[in-house]
């Protein structure tokens, strides 16, 4: 059996970047970003945060 040293570092799940109420800002494994769940107010707060602090990202539409 051959184990690679850095196998435990590899990410197998999506990364939650931030949470706004019930809305989750998620970076997927393919590098794309999406906003999951939440109320309209949660989503507006998340979009404002993105505009201020992570303006280079583009949200995926689902």
């Amino acid at each position: 059996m051959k184990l690679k040293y850095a196998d435990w570092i590899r990410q197998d799940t999506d990364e939650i970047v931030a949470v706004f109420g019930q809305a989750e800002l998620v970076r997927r494994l393919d590098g794309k970003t999406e906003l999951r769940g939440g109320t309209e107010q949660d989503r507006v707060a998340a979009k404002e945060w993105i505009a201020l602090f992570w303006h280079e990202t583009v949200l995926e539409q689902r």
Side-chain angles (χ1 to χ4, degrees):
M1 183 167 91
K2 184 177 182 181
L3 296 175
K4 294 195 178 198
Y5 174 71
D7 276 350
W8 64 273
I9 295 174
R10 192 182 77 216
Q11 208 173 12
D12 291 332
T13 60
D14 296 340
E15 176 185 4
I16 297 176
V17 177
V19 177
F20 303 91
Q22 297 295 317
E24 294 180 338
L25 184 60
V26 178
R27 185 178 334 181
R28 298 189 331 215
L29 290 175
D30 60 4
K32 297 180 181 177
T33 307
E34 74 178 292
L35 190 56
R36 296 180 183 165
T39 64
E40 188 60 34
Q41 291 176 335
D42 297 340
R43 298 176 73 76
V44 167
K47 289 177 183 177
E48 289 175 358
W49 184 87
I50 290 168
L52 289 173
F53 300 108
W54 203 19
H55 50 83
E56 65 272 4
T57 193
V58 176
L59 289 177
E60 285 290 307
Q61 299 293 333
R62 278 190 159 195

